[in-house]
């Protein structure tokens, strides 16, 4: 019961051996484990043990997206090691800081894991290979150019002598790192680019995978927390006597100015004690906030004079005024919760000398900084041991629960405390997908050409809340994801001579956050459903209408054409089945989808989705297919059910009974076309979500003639008259 | 004291009889493969077998199962050999984050015992566990694979 998870023990040891740090461990380790793990690293990315086991260090967090396997493939490709001997481990954020950020960025979000770090991790693998070969050549006293490495075996070709990586790893670790490290061309890859199995599957099928919620430490207690149910509310008073003295309850503590926690032996004891404890809250002015007041504020922004401009060509307002035909529509997108399957949690151990945290996090270094701040200790006296995440989706880029855990643990020095959020805590204290409205106005000339488009977004800014330092003269550039000109991150594919896309920032009392797909989710609905409206308004085929406008952007066009062809666009669909399509660019990747739906007596069924993605390089096509299929579950859950509402300053949805998500019975057949053009690096985890909802909404229009301009669909009657 | 038989082993736990079985399994017995997801029998992450029947352990008090055989994900393999469902899960690389998969696998193992060759409609009706990563397509394939193994 009180054993440390093996994974952490190894991570601890890596820190002591590799980094040469004096970390003041609290946990005793067996000498055997120490000897086994004491292999020196070849470099920061690669450790090779005497038995030829290859340990690849992974800086990004694994949350299901497969980054562990993909990054390991990239390192292994250049290392030219035996893939069957590859294992991985996380270095700690504290080690990264202590080693001058040798592993660079730990932050795992924005579908950046592979596209941002591919070059330096491949160089890590290549440099290690060069050092291993050099060590063998030195040993044999032969020119390095006569030696080759393959599958973890180094061969001196003229003599036929050979050795393994494990035998020369220690010698290699003492060599200087090479300065010039050439990389293979993608066409020569044998490990990267292949549909390999994930490295972390077995433990997820037999109960041995350790998540943050499963951490066990000697003498550990647990804590339940109640944070203000009123938006940004504070604790006014609480009666600890109602919890104290109950079986299993050890201590009641206030956490910051907005929460109260009960520390005790087990979760059921702390949770029920907390539930029975009277707490008074001060919600201030926010108790007047409701979904209606927020909607009214956003609606005002649709017509406001002042707005930040994200994309501009020609003179859209003048062109609209002189257009022969005008089409207008207003769309909206609600707040949504991430609802990771594993609720927020963190385990903290504080002493006046040191503070350590075990937690699921998408941002290990931010968690470390928060840990140090909450503990009141220098960063060098803190560390964070990342656990694989039971879902992240952007929620775990925030470190609020880490701060809480440390604040709780600080009130019981020397005792490790696992803070466990209930699902209700999780759903009512999220950083929500921001709420948004959009008014679109289009103008056509007499020949039926689209000459003008004005897209006015009125929405909450994530950046203004999370990273205000990243605003540009007050503007949140991320609002325009997929809508900007010439952005490698995601540019607007349609060529429209008079274009204006602008944003009226209207921030609410509900805290916003990055939610898988982020602003591409609503932007794709706005653009792609409105494009569908424009095609129908002018009697054009939705595919042909888009193809004409995308002619200047061949990569956008290519994915669109691929899904149209595979789905049989233009050919008769099976009886009762209707099609809709959408394309978008986000996270550096080009994506498109065709949805096939039926609507019978108001009952929607999504039968099939054909999706295409060009992520530039495709490091693991099998895992990309899984990410695409999974992204549609996330996107369709949002389209069908996703909505968090506010009443009297409180979030109303608390659990999966009122915040429904998609299950097996609603899962369409997803066919994914992975079509890398091999000339750039794009993301995978997020981009395809954005086309899920608009493709389905457009198919619903085809089936029913009903144009749904606000999700979720559960609020709409799809029955046709 | 409540007697509890988990994976064939009897435990005596000094616990409030209202404590949900899930938390007794996780915190008193010490088996953490069974997961907490919602606490209201909505998501299925906590699914275990009680006398072979898939049951959401978050919403059943421990006192109600004192005389029953409880099987958790850790007890699904028989003498070291993974259950056919676990084998299919590995063969088809089903899990993503994996957090829901213990419950998913337990639900599927119980389904296949009742209905060795389920149709897609049978699967839709029986497997109502939530997966936020969205592994449903692989789950369905793996169920069919396990059924024909």
């Amino acid at each position: 019961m009180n054993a440390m998870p093996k994974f952490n023990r190894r991570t601890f040891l890596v820190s002591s051996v590799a980094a040469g740090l004096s970390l003041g461990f609290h946990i005793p380790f067996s000498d055997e484990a120490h000897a086994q793990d004491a292999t020196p690293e070849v470099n920061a990315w690669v450790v090779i043990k005497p038995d030829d086991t290859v340990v690849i260090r992974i800086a990004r967090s694994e949350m299901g997206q497969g980054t562990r396997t993909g990054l390991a493939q990239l390192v292994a490709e250049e290392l030219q090691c035996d893939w069957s001997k590859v294992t991985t481990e996380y270095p700690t954020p504290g080690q990264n800081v202590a080693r001058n950020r040798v592993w660079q960025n730990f932050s795992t979000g924005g579908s950046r894991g592979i596209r941002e770090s591919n070059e330096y991790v491949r160089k890590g693998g290549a440099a290690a290979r060069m050092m291993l070969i050099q060590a063998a050549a030195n040993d044999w006293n032969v020119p390095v150019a006569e030696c080759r490495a393959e599958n973890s075996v180094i061969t001196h070709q003229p003599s036929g002598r050979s050795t393994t990586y494990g035998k020369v790893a220690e010698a290699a670790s003492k060599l200087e790192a090479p300065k010039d490290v050439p990389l293979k061309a993608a066409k020569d890859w044998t490990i990267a680019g292949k549909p390999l199995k994930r490295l972390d599957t077995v433990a997820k099928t037999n109960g041995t995978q350790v998540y943050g919620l499963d951490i066990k430490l000697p003498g550990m207690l647990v804590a339940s927390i109640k944070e203000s149910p009123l938006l940004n509310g504070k604790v006014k008073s609480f009666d600890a006597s109602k919890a104290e003295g109950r079986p299993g309850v050890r201590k009641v503590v206030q956490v910051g100015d907005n929460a109260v926690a009960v520390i005790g032996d087990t979760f059921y004891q702390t949770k029920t004690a907390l539930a029975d404890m009277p707490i008074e809250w001060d919600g201030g002015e926010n108790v007047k906030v409701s979904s209606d007041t927020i909607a009214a504020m956003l609606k005002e922004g649709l017509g406001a004079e002042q707005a930040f401009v994200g994309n501009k060509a020609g003179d859209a307002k003048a062109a609209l005024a002189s257009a022969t035909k005008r089409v207008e529509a207003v769309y909206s997108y609600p707040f949504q919760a991430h609802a990771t399957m594993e609720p927020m949690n963190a385990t903290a151990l504080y002493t006046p000398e040191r503070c350590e945290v075990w937690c699921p996090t998408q941002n290990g270094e931010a968690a470390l900084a928060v840990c140090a701040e909450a503990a009141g200790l220098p960063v060098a006296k803190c560390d964070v041991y990342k656990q694989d995440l039971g879902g992240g989706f952007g929620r775990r880029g925030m470190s609020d629960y880490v701060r809480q855990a440390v604040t709780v643990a600080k009130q019981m020095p020397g005792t490790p405390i696992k803070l466990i959020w209930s699902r209700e805590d999780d759903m009512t204290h999220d950083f929500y997908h921001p709420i948004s409205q959009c008014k679109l106005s289009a103008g056509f000339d007499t020949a039926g050409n689209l000459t003008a488009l004005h897209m006015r977004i009125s929405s909450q800014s994530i950046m203004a809340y999370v990273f205000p330092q990243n605003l540009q003269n007050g503007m949140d550039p991320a609002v325009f994801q997929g809508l900007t000109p010439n952005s490698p991150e995601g540019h607007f594919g349609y060529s429209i001579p008079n274009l204006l896309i602008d944003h009226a920032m209207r921030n609410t009392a509900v805290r916003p956050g990055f939610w898988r797909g982020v602003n591409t989710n609503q932007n794709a609905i706005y653009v792609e459903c409105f494009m569908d409206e424009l095609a129908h308004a002018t009697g054009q085929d939705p595919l042909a209408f888009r193809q004409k406008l995308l002619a200047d952007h061949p990569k956008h066009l290519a994915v669109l054409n691929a899904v149209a062809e595979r789905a049989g666009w233009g050919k008769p669909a099976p009886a009762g089945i209707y099609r809709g399509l959408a394309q978008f660019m986000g996270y550096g990747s080009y994506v498109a989808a065709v949805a096939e739906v039926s609507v019978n007596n108001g009952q929607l069924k999504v039968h099939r989705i054909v999706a295409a993605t060009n992520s530039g390089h495709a490091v693991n096509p099998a895992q990309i297919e899984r990410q695409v299929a999974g992204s549609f579950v996330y996107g369709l859950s949002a389209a069908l059910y996703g909505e968090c509402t506010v009443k009297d300053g409180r979030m109303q949805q608390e659990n999966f009974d009122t915040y429904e998500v998609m299950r097996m019975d609603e899962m369409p057949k997803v066919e994914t076309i992975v079509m890398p053009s091999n000339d750039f690096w794009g993301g995978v985890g997020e981009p395809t979500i954005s086309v899920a909802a608009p493709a389905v909404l457009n198919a619903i229009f085809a089936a029913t003639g009903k144009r749904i301009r606000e999700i979720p669909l559960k609020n709409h009657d799809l029955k046709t008259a | 004291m409540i007697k509890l038989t988990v994976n064939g082993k009897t435990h005596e736990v000094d616990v409030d009889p209202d404590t949900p079985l899930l938390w007794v399994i996780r915190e008193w017995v010490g088996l953490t493969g069974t997961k907490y997801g919602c606490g209201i029998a909505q998501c299925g992450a906590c699914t275990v077998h009680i006398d072979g029947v898939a049951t959401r352990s978050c919403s059943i008090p421990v006192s109600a199962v004192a005389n029953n055989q409880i099987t958790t994900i850790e007890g699904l393999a028989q003498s070291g050999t993974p259950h056919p469902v676990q084998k299919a899960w590995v063969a088809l690389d089903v899990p993503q984050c994996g957090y829901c998969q213990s419950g998913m696998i337990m639900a599927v193992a119980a389904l296949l015992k009742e209905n060795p060759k389920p149709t897609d409609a049978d699967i839709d009706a029986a497997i109502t566990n939530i997966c936020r990563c969205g592994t449903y397509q692989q789950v369905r394939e793996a169920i069919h694979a396990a059924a024909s193994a």
Side-chain angles (χ1 to χ4, degrees):
Chain A
M1 166 99 194
N2 287 335
M4 277 282 295
K6 189 163 187 288
F7 199 70
N8 291 296
R9 190 185 296 145
R10 193 167 62 217
T11 308
F12 275 121
L13 288 161
V14 166
S15 70
S16 64
V17 173
L21 298 173
S22 174
L23 289 182
F25 301 130
H26 303 276
I27 316 295
F29 307 109
S30 74
D31 289 338
E32 186 189 51
H34 191 277
Q36 194 188 334
D37 281 298
T39 316
E41 63 182 32
V42 179
N43 62 25
W45 301 98
V46 176
V47 177
I48 295 173
K49 299 189 178 176
D51 68 356
D52 286 325
T53 302
V54 178
V55 182
I56 294 176
R57 303 249 177 81
I58 305 293
R60 310 284 172 148
S61 302
E62 178 58 51
M63 49 188 166
Q65 82 280 40
T67 207
R68 165 182 291 128
T69 304
L71 289 169
Q73 282 178 265
L74 290 169
V75 174
E77 178 63 55
E78 294 292 344
L79 183 58
Q80 291 181 204
C81 65
D82 181 347
W83 178 251
S84 71
K85 301 216 166 100
V86 169
T87 63
T88 66
E89 68 182 14
Y90 291 135
T92 71
Q95 291 161 9
N96 200 34
V97 171
R99 295 182 65 179
N100 198 24
R101 299 193 83 227
V102 66
W103 293 285
Q104 304 202 33
N105 197 357
F106 275 43
S107 174
T108 311
S111 301
R112 286 192 311 262
I114 283 174
R115 64 189 171 117
E116 188 180 84
S117 62
N118 75 82
E119 186 168 337
Y120 59 77
V121 303
R122 286 188 291 149
K123 283 191 171 168
R129 181 198 71 237
M130 292 164 76
M131 291 160 75
L132 289 158
I133 297 174
Q134 184 70 56
N138 292 354
D139 187 35
W140 293 328
N141 200 19
V142 298
V144 71
E146 290 178 7
C147 301
R148 278 178 52 95
E150 205 165 340
N151 219 27
S152 292
V153 175
I154 304 164
T155 308
H156 177 238
Q157 291 180 306
S159 68
R161 273 180 296 187
S162 71
T163 188
T164 68
Y165 280 3
K167 294 197 176 81
V168 298
E170 186 158 359
S173 72
K174 292 171 184 142
L175 299 176
E176 201 171 315
K179 289 201 171 52
D180 184 26
V181 183
L183 296 176
K184 288 183 184 177
K187 66 177 172 50
D188 299 324
W189 286 349
T190 59
I191 297 173
K194 303 301 171 198
L196 303 184
K197 293 285 196 61
R198 293 178 67 113
L199 291 168
D200 50 5
T201 296
V202 173
K204 292 173 179 176
T205 64
N206 60 19
T208 58
Q209 173 73 43
V210 173
Y211 299 89
L213 213 56
D214 305 328
I215 287 291
K216 296 170 186 167
L217 294 171
M220 184 181 79
L221 298 176
V222 302
S224 292
I225 193 161
K226 180 84 181 163
E227 193 174 332
S228 170
L230 299 168
L231 293 169
N232 307 309
K234 311 269 183 257
V235 175
K236 204 193 276 176
S237 67
F238 61 96
D239 182 1
S241 70
K242 293 285 190 293
E244 283 165 350
R246 287 170 59 130
V249 170
R250 303 292 188 98
K251 197 171 186 179
V252 178
V253 297
Q254 184 163 340
V255 186
D257 61 3
N258 67 350
V260 179
V262 173
I263 305 169
D265 296 342
T266 67
F267 178 68
Y268 184 69
Q269 292 168 322
T270 57
K271 183 175 187 276
T272 49
L274 186 57
D276 291 344
M277 192 170 72
I279 308 173
E280 276 195 81
W281 306 101
D282 179 3
E285 283 295 295
N286 287 332
V287 297
K288 296 177 191 158
V289 173
S290 70
S291 288
D292 288 344
T293 64
I294 291 170
M297 180 170 74
L298 262 55
K299 191 177 175 196
E300 179 276 325
L302 293 178
E305 278 295 310
Q306 197 275 331
F308 299 107
V309 175
N311 198 346
K312 190 175 188 306
D315 186 341
K317 285 180 181 173
L320 280 168
S322 63
T324 312
K325 180 181 176 67
R326 285 179 60 164
V327 179
E328 276 189 7
V330 174
Y331 283 76
S332 70
Y333 195 99
F335 290 119
Q336 291 168 335
H338 296 81
T340 61
M341 288 309 297
E342 179 196 23
M344 297 307 114
N345 67 86
T347 302
L349 172 56
Y350 169 88
T351 67
E353 294 79 39
R354 182 163 174 79
C355 188
E356 294 166 306
V357 170
W358 293 255
C359 68
T361 174
Q362 289 177 245
N363 196 341
E365 289 184 299
L368 175 63
V370 163
C371 168
E373 192 183 291
L377 290 169
V379 167
K381 292 188 170 185
C382 298
D383 212 344
V384 169
Y385 308 110
K386 299 198 301 176
Q387 309 301 311
D388 280 4
L389 288 64
F393 314 123
R395 173 61 181 88
R396 288 187 162 105
M398 306 303 289
S399 305
D400 52 320
Y401 53 98
V402 174
R403 183 184 302 279
Q404 289 178 345
V406 172
T407 307
V408 170
K410 201 176 172 183
Q411 299 181 63
M412 232 182 195
T415 301
I417 296 175
K418 173 159 55 177
L419 175 72
I420 302 174
W421 281 25
S422 68
R423 172 59 59 197
E424 290 79 10
D425 296 329
D426 189 280
M427 205 165 273
T428 54
H429 295 89
D430 203 345
F431 295 81
Y432 299 86
H433 189 299
I435 196 162
S436 169
Q437 293 183 10
C438 182
K439 181 178 179 184
L440 299 113
S441 313
F444 291 87
D445 65 14
T446 44
N449 297 308
L450 177 62
T451 54
L453 175 68
H454 178 201
M455 183 172 170
R456 162 60 65 86
I457 300 165
S458 174
S459 74
Q460 180 155 19
S461 159
I462 303 170
M463 217 59 91
Y465 183 83
V466 180
F467 298 122
Q469 67 275 20
N470 290 359
L471 295 176
Q472 296 173 0
N473 297 320
M475 180 173 95
D476 175 356
V479 163
F480 301 104
Q481 270 187 295
L483 303 177
T484 50
N486 306 317
S487 162
E489 188 67 16
H491 58 262
F492 191 66
Y494 298 112
S495 299
I496 302 167
N498 300 289
L499 177 70
L500 177 61
I501 303 178
D502 56 7
H503 176 227
M505 191 187 294
R506 294 292 180 273
N507 296 329
T508 82
V510 177
R511 56 189 196 185
F514 300 97
W515 190 101
R516 192 177 182 184
V518 193
N519 293 308
T520 65
N521 294 320
Q522 70 272 24
N523 289 347
I525 292 177
Y526 300 158
V527 171
E528 287 304 292
C529 290
F530 193 60
M531 282 293 161
D532 216 63
E533 292 202 48
L534 298 181
H536 287 288
T538 53
Q540 301 182 64
D541 172 72
L543 174 64
F545 181 72
R546 286 176 172 84
Q547 285 170 326
K548 198 164 63 181
L549 293 169
L550 289 173
D552 296 338
H553 292 100
K555 282 183 170 133
H556 290 71
L557 192 56
V559 288
L560 180 68
N561 286 338
V563 292
E565 191 187 336
R566 171 75 67 88
W569 189 270
K571 293 177 190 153
I577 302 282
Y578 296 86
R579 296 188 181 118
L581 53 73
Q583 67 78 30
F584 212 64
M585 184 183 179
Y587 305 93
S589 294
Y590 303 83
V591 300
V594 169
E596 292 187 344
V597 312
S598 63
V599 181
N600 290 312
N601 201 23
Q603 190 63 43
L604 169 72
K605 183 162 176 62
V606 184
H607 296 267
R608 177 187 183 217
I609 290 183
V610 177
T613 179
N614 176 5
S615 57
H617 292 284
V619 173
N620 188 322
Q623 302 310 328
I624 292 174
E625 282 183 25
R626 283 162 176 75
Q627 283 304 296
V628 172
S631 80
F632 285 122
V633 176
Y634 214 70
L636 291 180
S637 288
L640 296 172
Y641 303 113
E643 181 183 40
C644 295
T645 52
V646 187
K647 193 180 175 201
D648 301 331
R650 290 170 186 253
M651 301 310 294
Q652 291 187 282
Q653 290 70 25
E654 298 193 332
N655 208 319
F656 289 116
D657 53 345
T658 48
Y659 187 80
E660 290 177 75
V661 297
M662 221 178 101
R663 300 175 196 243
M664 282 290 284
D665 61 342
E666 293 174 304
M667 180 71 198
K669 181 168 171 33
V670 176
E671 296 168 38
T672 303
I673 307 166
V674 180
M675 43 186 291
S677 54
N678 291 308
D679 54 344
F680 65 97
W681 288 85
V684 168
E686 292 172 275
T688 42
I689 301 177
S690 69
V691 286
V696 167
L697 293 171
N698 291 338
I700 289 172
F701 177 81
T704 66
K706 290 196 173 193
R707 180 61 67 183
I708 307 296
R709 299 191 181 93
E710 53 186 46
I711 62 166
L713 284 158
K714 67 169 182 160
N715 297 340
H716 298 271
D717 180 4
L718 297 182
K719 281 200 185 81
T720 41
Chain B
M1 280 290 184
I2 291 175
K3 254 192 188 172
L4 199 66
T5 309
V6 181
N7 302 332
K9 204 173 149 192
T10 303
H11 302 260
E12 284 197 24
V13 290
D14 181 13
V15 60
D16 179 341
D18 289 340
T19 307
L21 174 61
L22 166 67
W23 292 101
V24 176
I25 291 170
R26 287 182 57 83
E27 297 190 316
W28 299 79
V29 178
L31 296 174
T32 55
T34 306
K35 301 303 184 196
Y36 166 61
C38 70
I40 58 167
Q42 278 286 319
C43 78
C46 64
T47 304
V48 299
H49 295 172
I50 297 178
D51 295 337
V53 178
T55 307
R56 295 186 174 178
S57 64
C58 71
S59 298
I60 183 162
V62 64
S63 54
V65 294
N67 299 312
N68 306 80
Q69 293 290 329
I70 297 156
T71 307
T72 71
I73 185 73
E74 291 90 346
L76 193 61
Q78 290 300 313
S79 41
T81 305
H83 187 279
V85 173
Q86 292 172 308
K87 285 185 192 165
W89 248 242
V90 172
L92 290 168
D93 234 4
V94 173
Q96 289 186 25
C97 90
Y99 192 82
C100 74
Q101 299 293 338
S102 294
M104 195 74 86
I105 288 168
M106 295 306 282
V108 170
L111 167 67
L112 292 182
K113 204 170 152 199
E114 286 257 303
N115 180 355
K117 297 274 177 201
T119 63
D120 280 341
D122 295 338
I123 293 168
D124 287 346
I127 307 302
T128 57
N129 300 44
I130 294 174
C131 171
R132 290 290 281 156
C133 296
T135 60
Y136 300 129
Q137 183 152 307
Q138 282 71 41
V139 167
R140 189 185 303 281
E141 281 177 37
I143 295 172
H144 289 308
S148 53

